[in-house]
Amino acid sequence: MDPTDQDLIQDGTVADTVIRDTVQDVGFLDLMAHNLGLVAAFVALMYITASICAVREVMNSRTSQGSVAWLLSLFFLPYITVPLYFVFGWRSFSDYAKIQATLGRAERARRADELGLTDHEETRDWPVLSRVAGVPFLAGNTAELLIDGEATFSAIKKAIAEAQNVIFFQFFAIHEDALGREMADALIARAKEGIRVYFLYDDVGSHGLSRAYLNRLKEAGIKVCGFNENHKFLRLLGPMRLNYRNHRKLVVTDLRTAFVGGHNVADQYVGRNKWFGRWRDTHVKVSGPAGVGCALSFTEDWLWASGERIELPPVTEVPMPGDESVLVMPTGPADKLEECAIAFVEAAARAKKRFWITTPYLVPSLDVQTALCAAAMRGVDVRILLPEKRDHWTVWLASHAYEDTLVQRGVKVYRYTDGFLHQKVTLLDDDLVSIGTVNFDNRSFQINFELTLWFTHERMIGKVEEMLETDFKSAKLTWPEAFQSRSYVFRVLAQGARLLSPIL
């Protein structure tokens, strides 16, 4: 074939392609031209919705930086930003606040005082924590530290087997694996014996649960509900709450004994995952008035999630089996302020000798960073224990960027090497311990529903001190130049992940 002919064929192919693309473009433009009314209506609807979102963001702003970013995006990219705003920006939990009022949260401090449950001395010594919790420190509890999964789930199974009246079972993540089936079997057995069982899971954390798993629970008479079950995508009075998750891990038996901590229900939490190896986590068992406080937290979540009110028997007397004071602190996006962050910033500000933190994720707000750096600068032994291994790439990368900022200002950051660390524990001087579900990240402080128990008794403080000293022996200290010694690509990725901190 003559080269000229070949060129003509190629030119013809290119021409055909150009003509075909042009016809398609003309067809699209023709379609648009014949539906200008619909196009105009769609554009108008987008900008009206973007305007509503913008006004709402201005009126409900918590940080100027975040609000300015939303406003600019809503103005310049409404088609993309409006759906994202409904998922990540629309914070509307007035219905949850109404439930808190309906169930008498504001009256609990007075009621605890009437029943003689209030520890007035501890409440006076820690006024900010008590105000955040909305209740006083409760006296007369027993508390047991549960280290790692075997101890935790053995104790929970025992309490379930011994329950006489009711069981509240609530976890962020429940997997349909060996442990998940074991817990289901334990609950089903008690339900068949006439015990009332309530099973509450988070739709995001437990997204892998099959309909067969849930139906098996329901068929046994267990009340089952997903936290967002009545708050699905774009409901008229409640936009998608997918970004707002119930991160609480709570089991209550007979309204008296409660289990709170970092464990979820999955094989990895009892060390059955080869990648993670040992799963280092901490739970705590409390019995007494604090168990009642945890039960009340569950009833609020259940009413919001299911629309069903759990009728509790009138409380005229609460057993006080021990001598430990406990503060029960539920926090979440329904709070008027960032109450969870206020509590931990207060703890950092009160520290005189040491402030030890264990958390799997380090993505703190500017206020929390400032409090930690200020404590370190005034000579407090501020330590943060993080996992060396990763489970979420983005959060793990961001934690390295924040780690560098804190280390440069005197905060000691350790990386745990004996498996994966997931516990959420803090130790303040010889005065205060927290054990709960709160990570040191923006999601726990601002977005998620969380639960923290605070302890002041020297017995619990001593046990936690011993536990954390052992953990630090299995960790390596981050040196000041560690981040800068990383590759340039790693540092760029870490700083880029840090930009996503408001939703991590």
Side-chain angles (χ1 to χ4, degrees):
M1 182 182 294
D2 188 79
T4 304
D5 295 336
Q6 188 173 4
D7 291 343
L8 287 172
I9 292 173
Q10 291 176 346
D11 291 344
T13 303
V14 172
D16 288 343
T17 301
V18 171
I19 292 171
R20 185 167 57 252
D21 290 345
T22 302
V23 169
Q24 290 175 348
D25 292 341
V26 169
F28 176 74
L29 292 173
D30 185 60
L31 179 65
M32 297 282 285
H34 283 83
N35 294 276
L36 286 178
L38 291 176
V39 172
F42 175 76
V43 172
L45 178 63
M46 271 295 155
Y47 274 96
I48 290 171
T49 307
S51 298
I52 293 171
C53 292
V55 171
R56 197 179 186 288
E57 181 61 29
V58 169
M59 297 304 296
N60 294 277
S61 173
R62 286 193 173 187
T63 64
S64 58
Q65 301 95 323
S67 294
V68 168
W70 276 121
L71 294 174
L72 290 174
S73 299
L74 287 166
F75 180 78
F76 289 108
L77 298 168
Y79 311 105
I80 298 174
T81 309
V82 166
L84 291 176
Y85 187 82
F86 276 109
V87 178
F88 297 107
W90 192 290
R91 185 191 301 265
S92 178
F93 284 91
S94 57
D95 48 356
Y96 193 96
K98 290 177 182 176
I99 283 172
Q100 292 175 332
T102 299
L103 295 182
R105 179 179 279 207
E107 296 296 313
R108 290 176 188 171
R110 179 186 60 79
R111 185 62 178 150
D113 207 37
E114 290 178 352
L115 293 171
L117 307 177
T118 303
D119 187 323
H120 293 282
E121 182 177 351
E122 299 296 357
T123 302
R124 183 184 66 249
D125 289 345
W126 301 98
V128 174
L129 299 185
S130 298
R131 288 286 297 276
V132 167
V135 293
F137 275 82
L138 300 174
N141 299 279
T142 62
E144 179 184 353
L145 190 64
L146 300 170
I147 300 175
D148 290 340
E150 289 298 337
T152 296
F153 288 105
S154 293
I156 290 175
K157 290 175 185 176
K158 185 174 185 293
I160 289 173
E162 295 175 351
Q164 299 297 309
N165 298 301
V166 64
I167 299 169
F168 296 154
F169 190 89
Q170 174 183 12
F171 284 89
F172 170 69
I174 302 172
H175 291 189
E176 197 170 340
D177 53 18
L179 182 61
R181 290 189 290 272
E182 288 172 24
M183 299 311 299
D185 290 343
L187 295 172
I188 288 171
R190 300 317 318 279
K192 289 182 177 179
E193 293 173 3
I195 304 299
R196 289 186 298 150
V197 181
Y198 296 83
F199 184 98
L200 181 61
Y201 63 94
D202 184 83
D203 308 74
V204 177
S206 304
H207 66 276
L209 287 182
S210 69
R211 189 176 297 276
Y213 182 97
L214 298 175
N215 284 341
R216 182 167 171 255
L217 295 171
K218 293 175 183 177
E219 289 167 1
I222 296 174
K223 299 276 190 177
V224 178
C225 189
F227 187 65
N228 278 301
E229 193 163 303
N230 287 333
H231 305 272
K232 297 294 187 182
F233 179 71
L234 293 180
R235 291 177 65 90
L236 182 61
L237 297 178
M240 185 160 60
R241 313 292 181 95
L242 211 59
N243 192 41
Y244 300 93
R245 301 162 194 170
N246 196 309
H247 195 241
R248 294 169 182 158
K249 295 97 172 169
L250 172 65
V251 177
V252 182
T253 58
D254 296 336
L255 312 179
R256 295 293 185 269
T257 298
F259 299 83
V260 177
H263 289 92
N264 287 297
V265 180
D267 282 349
Q268 65 199 53
Y269 289 84
V270 288
R272 298 174 186 169
N273 184 288
K274 292 182 179 179
W275 159 252
F276 291 113
R278 182 192 181 193
W279 189 277
R280 178 66 194 89
D281 219 329
T282 300
H283 240 68
V284 65
K285 172 187 175 182
V286 293
S287 297
V292 180
C294 291
L296 293 172
S297 170
F298 182 90
T299 60
E300 290 178 350
D301 285 351
W302 184 264
L303 179 55
W304 189 81
S306 69
E308 175 190 1
R309 181 167 181 164
I310 299 175
E311 296 297 336
L312 300 178
V315 178
T316 57
E317 183 179 352
V318 177
M320 301 176 72
D323 59 351
E324 298 195 39
S325 291
V326 181
L327 180 68
V328 179
M329 182 185 290
T331 53
D335 300 338
K336 293 182 179 179
L337 298 174
E338 292 173 7
E339 308 284 11
C340 186
I342 290 173
F344 284 94
V345 167
E346 162 71 1
R350 293 280 298 269
K352 298 177 180 177
K353 183 178 68 174
R354 65 181 173 190
F355 189 44
W356 294 357
I357 302 163
T358 64
T359 177
Y361 314 119
L362 181 66
V363 189
S365 66
L366 182 59
D367 291 340
V368 175
Q369 292 179 71
T370 301
L372 296 176
C373 291
M377 289 175 178
R378 66 174 181 267
V380 176
D381 178 19
V382 181
R383 301 186 193 182
I384 303 176
L385 183 60
L386 300 170
E388 175 71 13
K389 286 189 175 182
R390 65 184 184 276
D391 65 337
H392 299 295
W393 264 105
T394 307
V395 181
W396 183 78
L397 284 168
S399 73
H400 281 83
Y402 283 103
E403 170 188 272
D404 181 57
T405 299
L406 295 171
V407 167
Q408 299 302 325
R409 287 157 181 81
V411 176
K412 299 172 186 174
V413 177
Y414 293 78
R415 290 280 175 175
Y416 187 79
T417 58
D418 186 19
F420 183 76
L421 180 128
H422 190 258
Q423 62 176 325
K424 304 95 164 50
V425 178
T426 65
L427 172 62
L428 168 62
D429 296 337
D430 296 319
D431 303 323
L432 187 70
V433 157
S434 75
I435 301 173
T437 68
V438 173
N439 300 313
F440 258 69
D441 60 16
N442 288 307
R443 176 163 290 281
S444 280
F445 288 153
Q446 303 176 12
I447 301 174
N448 285 345
F449 290 86
E450 305 282 3
L451 182 60
T452 306
L453 302 186
W454 298 84
F455 302 85
T456 56
H457 198 284
E458 60 183 10
R459 187 183 305 114
M460 178 59 73
I461 291 170
K463 290 178 181 178
V464 169
E465 178 183 32
E466 181 181 356
M467 177 185 74
L468 295 185
E469 285 178 342
T470 300
D471 291 335
F472 280 116
K473 291 176 182 177
S474 299
K476 59 181 182 180
L477 179 65
T478 301
W479 43 287
E481 292 77 26
F483 187 71
Q484 296 304 319
S485 69
R486 297 273 196 168
S487 69
Y488 185 74
V489 172
F490 180 89
R491 284 180 281 151
V492 169
L493 291 174
Q495 293 291 0
R498 183 174 181 165
L499 298 178
L500 299 174
S501 62
I503 59 173
L504 292 180

